[in-house]
Amino acid sequence: MLPRGRPRALGAAALLLLLLLLGFLLFGGDLGCERREPGGRAGAPGCFPGPLMPRVPPDGRLRRAAALDGDPGAGPGDHNRSDCGPQPPPPPKCELLHVAIVCAGHNSSRDVITLVKSMLFYRKNPLHLHLVTDAVARNILETLFHTWMVPAVRVSFYHADQLKPQVSWIPNKHYSGLYGLMKLVLPSALPAELARVIVLDTDVTFASDISELWALFAHFSDTQAIGLVENQSDWYLGNLWKNHRPWPALGRGFNTGVILLRLDRLRQAGWEQMWRLTARRELLSLPATSLADQDIFNAVIKEHPGLVQRLPCVWNVQLSDHTLAERCYSEASDLKVIHWNSPKKLRVKNKHVEFFRNFYLTFLEYDGNLLRRELFVCPSQPPPGAEQLQQALAQLDEEDPCFEFRQQQLTVHRVHVTFLPHEPPPPRPHDVTLVAQLSMDRLQMLEALCRHWPGPMSLALYLTDAEAQQFLHFVEASPVLAARQDVAYHVVYREGPLYPVNQLRNVALAQALTPYVFLSDIDFLPAYSLYDYLRASIEQLGLGSRRKAALVVPAFETLRYRFSFPHSKVELLALLDAGTLYTFRYHEWPRGHAPTDYARWREAQAPYRVQWAANYEPYVVVPRDCPRYDPRFVGFGWNKVAHIVELDAQARQARQPLLLCPTLQEYELLVLPEAFTIHLPHAPSLDISRFRSSPTYRDCLQALKDEFHQDLSRHHGAAALKYLPALQQPQSPARG
């Protein structure tokens, strides 16, 4: 028989057990917010849940994703169900948040842009981006942010090459190389007055306002200096395979794709000496780091556990193979930061990978122009040139029939130079880069152009964000294009109703790296031998600082979609005589190329000089420092003609040094006897259709020509009178 008090004790124990079970079900097994490591050590204070507790519904599927503008279905307390206890206070509305990113190369630069888009979409605070870059990434990102003109975003650059000596002694097997170790030196590399910073890998995507992450600094104790999310794989537990020896770590270790750093505390604690001593000691028994900086961070934390503040796992949902990240969330509103930390990236195996992939693709293809919005509650210094631009736009008359022309001229397009990996050509004194521009409907010309022109090319593409990704896949799927590392593609993002043809040409021209450029159009195929012939001609003619010439490449056209391309001048003349080829625009606008003097070219054995004439628009080879195209000419009409006028005006002024504002350049027009390029047929563009059908369009073009002559007169004085009759002639409905 049981003692009299035993039933009451058993009943109380059963009741307590029932309460514990109910608490486990209600709070995900995280009562009291205390969690223990495998070794028995209690989690650090801060009232965050065990980051790997199961929270996925039984059907294994995420609930419907929240709308990008917010989740109307989420209750006030549901947006971050992984938190428990009091939420940290949000940062002041206009507090400047600092973010550091290490970025190197072309591909990583594209990743940074997608990351920044996701941050800008949700952010409510001004941002200061601290970018540690190599020369390639700096050229790309500096141009991009300068032309993006996002309000309340500052960008500072730091030279990665200057930091390499501090980490180059560490053997690293990770694919990120030396750049994967540079987060270790951020406390010394960033400004001494900077106390706090969020550090991000380039392969993360935000699903929430970054200020919520910044607010977690408030949870740091007086000694904590590093905020990290626990690693969501078994890597640091070891025994993944025979002889698997990871670096030391606290329990599962931590992932360094998202880090909160108290820089001031790390400097005071002697961080640089701390991580160096730890790394040198571990490298005595380990051959190299496998996960770059992450291994060293974990080894330091293992030795100094008081440095780390554990962050909720939703701030770094890690999508590597064999990840346990799905235990971290149950619905889309839980997600804060998604981390593609597998080398496979979007091809990683994960139960919910389709949801994550679609989320990422949303920002990859999102129109970055829409992120130029003001933070109305936070007055900030406008981006350089923004005030002048707004003033100029405010002066436009929306009732003006030419309003869209005026507005398009003032549009600052986002520019992403060297969108794909590019190897600069070796320096050669007479080398030539083919320069052209195109839109999505001319992509099919690229393979043929690469077969005809073996030299370097600089091409500007006018695309939307989504089209830029289609273009990327187009190149990757083409063996011809993928093999050409000397072709530089520069994406100018689409904005406005008119095609900014001369702005595109100027982007491509500015990025050319050879001494000379061949100014062509994408619907022309040059002679197979033209690249070598041009370099030889430049050398033979002795072109350089003492003699500047515009070498004319005679243009022809075929009206047939299929024809046998001539391999020599002899073959071309035979096709010309047979009626398969014509001199360019012979039927519609002969005056555009008549000064080339095709009859003389048939018999020519040496270069010959020609004179400028009204509406002349040849395709020319000129020094890279030639005058830029006039960006006022958008859409169709007079865009190349104006450039040739400018070349001739400079030559005329150089021959008459007493004129106002003389220049040192003199461009003589020389026609090359063995050169040729052939235009292929294509459907007419939207702009040429508008030109042909709209009298208002043609009137606006004439207004632009009049303004061009006024500016020409101011720059070149009386020499500009020569061009007045040409400017008053009607424009052909065939060409620009």
Side-chain angles (χ1 to χ4, degrees), residues 575-721:
L575 293 173
L576 194 64
D577 293 337
T580 304
L581 288 180
Y582 303 92
T583 57
F584 187 54
R585 291 298 184 246
Y586 169 77
H587 300 91
E588 298 169 317
W589 187 239
R591 70 177 69 181
H593 291 263
T596 298
D597 195 351
Y598 288 96
R600 183 177 178 183
W601 182 81
R602 294 179 67 106
E603 308 297 331
Q605 300 295 318
Y608 58 92
R609 187 168 183 169
V610 296
Q611 298 297 320
W612 175 89
N615 295 300
Y616 192 28
E617 51 176 2
Y619 293 95
V620 295
V621 177
V622 290
R624 183 181 61 190
D625 62 355
C626 68
R628 294 306 188 246
Y629 288 88
D630 194 313
R632 86 184 77 209
F633 292 102
V634 295
F636 174 83
W638 244 68
N639 42 73
K640 288 197 307 296
V641 175
H643 189 242
I644 298 300
V645 166
E646 186 66 38
L647 285 174
D648 186 74
Q650 291 206 2
R652 180 178 175 85
Q653 192 167 21
R655 292 192 294 270
Q656 302 179 51
L658 296 181
L659 293 176
L660 182 65
C661 301
T663 69
L664 298 178
Q665 301 184 80
E666 179 174 357
Y667 290 93
E668 52 182 323
L669 295 168
L670 294 176
V671 181
L672 297 177
E674 299 295 328
F676 62 86
T677 186
I678 299 177
H679 179 265
L680 301 186
H682 57 78
S685 66
L686 175 62
D687 284 307
I688 193 173
S689 299
R690 293 182 64 189
F691 174 87
R692 290 170 174 170
S693 62
S694 171
T696 301
Y697 194 106
R698 295 193 291 272
D699 291 343
C700 291
L701 177 58
Q702 184 60 50
L704 296 181
K705 291 163 64 176
D706 293 340
E707 293 169 9
F708 171 76
H709 185 261
Q710 294 171 11
D711 290 341
L712 202 67
S713 299
R714 280 192 287 270
H715 289 123
H716 300 286
L721 295 174

Side-chain angles (χ1 to χ4, degrees), residues 113-122 204-206 208 363:
I113 295 166
T114 306
L115 161 59
V116 170
K117 281 184 182 179
S118 68
M119 280 196 295
L120 293 177
F121 186 90
Y122 294 105
V204 303
T205 309
F206 271 80
S208 185
F363 288 111

Side-chain angles (χ1 to χ4, degrees), residues 1 38 155 203 213 220 274 288 305 350 361-362 392 447 456 495 519 521 537 545 562 569 626 638 666:
M1 173 179 259
V155 184
D203 55 359
L213 177 59
F220 281 42
M274 188 185 300
N350 181 279
L361 292 176
T362 298
E447 286 191 350
E495 186 174 7
L519 305 178
D521 275 336
S537 298
S545 58
R562 290 187 176 183
K569 180 177 179 178
C626 68
W638 244 68
E666 179 174 357

Side-chain angles (χ1 to χ4, degrees), residues 485-605:
Q485 297 292 301
D486 58 350
V487 180
Y489 300 102
H490 317 292
V491 174
V492 178
Y493 287 100
R494 184 185 294 274
E495 186 174 7
L498 297 170
Y499 189 74
V501 56
N502 278 357
Q503 295 183 45
L504 296 172
R505 287 176 172 141
N506 285 339
V507 168
L509 181 54
Q511 295 301 317
L513 302 175
T514 56
Y516 295 88
V517 288
F518 173 32
L519 305 178
S520 184
D521 275 336
I522 198 64
D523 42 11
F524 279 83
L525 289 181
Y528 285 107
S529 60
L530 185 59
Y531 174 60
D532 292 331
Y533 176 64
L534 290 177
R535 292 188 298 162
S537 298
I538 291 169
E539 183 175 12
Q540 292 167 7
L541 291 168
L543 301 186
S545 58
R546 295 187 178 182
R547 185 185 187 189
K548 288 185 180 290
L551 304 181
V552 176
V553 177
F556 299 84
E557 70 175 333
T558 179
L559 304 181
R560 302 182 181 183
Y561 284 89
R562 290 187 176 183
F563 87 111
S564 179
F565 198 94
H567 287 76
S568 66
K569 180 177 179 178
V570 172
E571 291 184 16
L572 181 140
L573 291 176
L575 293 173
L576 194 64
D577 293 337
T580 304
L581 288 180
Y582 303 92
T583 57
F584 187 54
R585 291 298 184 246
Y586 169 77
H587 300 91
E588 298 169 317
W589 187 239
R591 70 177 69 181
H593 291 263
T596 298
D597 195 351
Y598 288 96
R600 183 177 178 183
W601 182 81
R602 294 179 67 106
E603 308 297 331
Q605 300 295 318

Side-chain angles (χ1 to χ4, degrees), residues 24-181:
F24 181 86
L25 293 174
L26 289 173
F27 299 102
D30 195 33
L31 291 176
C33 295
E34 179 178 89
R35 166 175 85 74
R36 295 191 176 270
E37 295 297 330
R41 178 183 174 275
C47 204
F48 292 129
L52 298 181
M53 298 309 298
R55 305 189 62 250
V56 179
D59 61 5
R61 294 185 299 175
L62 280 173
R63 300 181 189 177
R64 181 180 61 83
L68 282 176
D69 283 328
D71 185 3
D78 290 337
H79 189 64
N80 186 10
R81 290 174 52 201
S82 65
D83 293 348
C84 71
Q87 293 292 309
K93 275 188 177 181
C94 297
E95 182 180 356
L96 181 63
L97 312 185
H98 294 268
V99 179
I101 305 170
V102 178
C103 174
H106 301 86
N107 296 335
S108 184
S109 298
R110 292 201 308 273
D111 293 337
V112 165
I113 295 166
T114 306
L115 161 59
V116 170
K117 281 184 182 179
S118 68
M119 280 196 295
L120 293 177
F121 186 90
Y122 294 105
R123 64 106 180 212
K124 298 182 180 67
N125 285 65
L127 298 177
H128 188 164
L129 305 181
H130 301 265
L131 304 181
V132 179
T133 62
D134 64 352
V136 169
R138 176 161 187 166
N139 182 49
I140 294 170
L141 296 173
E142 205 165 37
T143 303
L144 179 84
F145 282 108
H146 176 73
T147 54
W148 202 346
M149 301 181 75
V150 182
V153 172
R154 294 169 55 191
V155 184
S156 298
F157 288 91
Y158 306 83
H159 294 286
D161 287 345
Q162 296 177 2
L163 305 179
K164 283 183 178 179
Q166 300 182 49
V167 294
S168 58
W169 57 274
I170 304 172
N172 179 27
K173 295 189 292 186
H174 194 258
Y175 60 84
S176 59
L178 284 180
Y179 300 100
L181 297 163

Side-chain angles (χ1 to χ4, degrees), residues 438-449 474 681-682:
L438 67 151
S439 53
M440 196 69 179
D441 59 347
R442 297 290 192 270
L443 284 187
Q444 73 278 2
M445 290 294 301
L446 291 177
E447 286 191 350
L449 184 59
F474 179 82
H682 57 78

